[in-house]
Amino acid sequence: MTKIAIIYYSSTGTVDAMARRAAATAEAAGHDVRLRHVAELAPQEAIESQDAWVQHRRDVADEPVATPDDLDWADVALFGSPTRYGHITSQLQAYIDTLGPLWAQGKLADKVYAGFTASQTKHGGQESTLLNLYTSFYHFGGIVVAPGYTDPQKFSDGNPYGVGKVTGASAELDDDDLAAIDHLVNRTAAISRRLEAGGNGASRDDA
């Protein structure tokens, strides 16, 4: 059983839906899952400017907030964020900024990492958001497991860096979105298991 942490920020619910799909897929495959949203940092007046933002804060108010322990615990970490001008949100970055003590102890290294994102438009910064997110994973000494085109579905989804949802036409996840999330979960878990088993003669300790 692989331990999978799904750590995300969502303002109006799209990335939340992606995270929940990832969690459901991982649990259905028998993995141990922690689904955690990060703390909200936006001022209340900004939140109240959008009804969907207000509603989403209510929806997750009683759910657990991510802590560094969730990442320490995990074999696989999937991070999700809307794109903000080609970057992740300040809320997710603030969580990453709390990980210094774990990083200093080498506890972020040798885990499998990947990401998912959403934007309103096509080419709206999804790829740069994921690449910027992965820069942190490189600093961790993490193993970035991008989906590439390792499944025919990725030619429909069209994002080899992770999973990206375009919300302009509809914020509802369609079949391509769901399949892309499922593939990301299954691929990262499979690679983690191979690493634990010392696939191709290499283990986490001697890599």
Side-chain angles (χ1 to χ4, degrees), residues 24-207:
T25 299
E27 289 171 349
H31 302 303
D32 196 1
V33 177
R34 290 189 186 181
L35 177 66
R36 301 287 189 268
H37 67 93
V38 300
E40 179 61 82
L41 302 177
Q44 190 61 32
E45 57 267 28
I47 296 171
E48 291 175 356
S49 68
Q50 295 186 52
D51 291 343
W53 199 348
V54 171
Q55 183 59 53
H56 181 64
R57 297 318 307 165
R58 291 173 180 160
D59 291 343
V60 300
D62 296 326
E63 296 187 1
V65 175
T67 68
D69 177 68
D70 297 313
L71 195 51
D72 188 18
W73 166 87
D75 302 312
V76 173
L78 303 179
F79 279 63
S81 172
T83 182
R84 293 290 187 267
Y85 311 109
H87 292 265
I88 62 173
T89 61
S90 59
Q91 291 89 340
L92 186 60
Q93 184 61 55
Y95 171 78
I96 291 172
D97 289 345
T98 70
L99 301 175
L102 289 180
W103 169 83
Q105 298 173 66
K107 291 185 175 181
L108 302 180
D110 301 334
K111 300 176 185 289
V112 167
Y113 295 87
F116 54 96
T117 188
S119 64
Q120 185 174 15
T121 61
K122 293 180 180 180
H123 312 296
Q126 291 186 2
E127 293 178 355
S128 62
T129 296
L130 292 170
L131 291 171
N132 283 314
L133 175 62
Y134 292 174
T135 298
S136 294
F137 301 160
Y138 301 143
H139 280 259
F140 295 168
I143 300 161
V144 175
V145 177
Y149 293 96
T150 55
D151 185 274
Q153 182 280 332
K154 294 304 294 181
F155 290 94
S156 297
D157 163 72
N159 190 331
Y161 300 93
V163 177
K165 168 64 179 175
V166 177
T167 64
S170 172
E172 296 295 321
L173 302 183
D174 61 26
D175 289 344
D176 284 340
D177 302 323
L178 298 175
I181 294 165
D182 293 350
H183 177 61
L184 188 71
V185 170
N186 293 329
R187 175 168 162 76
T188 52
I191 295 300
S192 180
R193 290 195 301 271
R194 287 171 58 185
L195 291 167
E196 291 289 354
N200 295 323
S203 71
R204 292 183 188 270
D205 292 334
D206 61 20

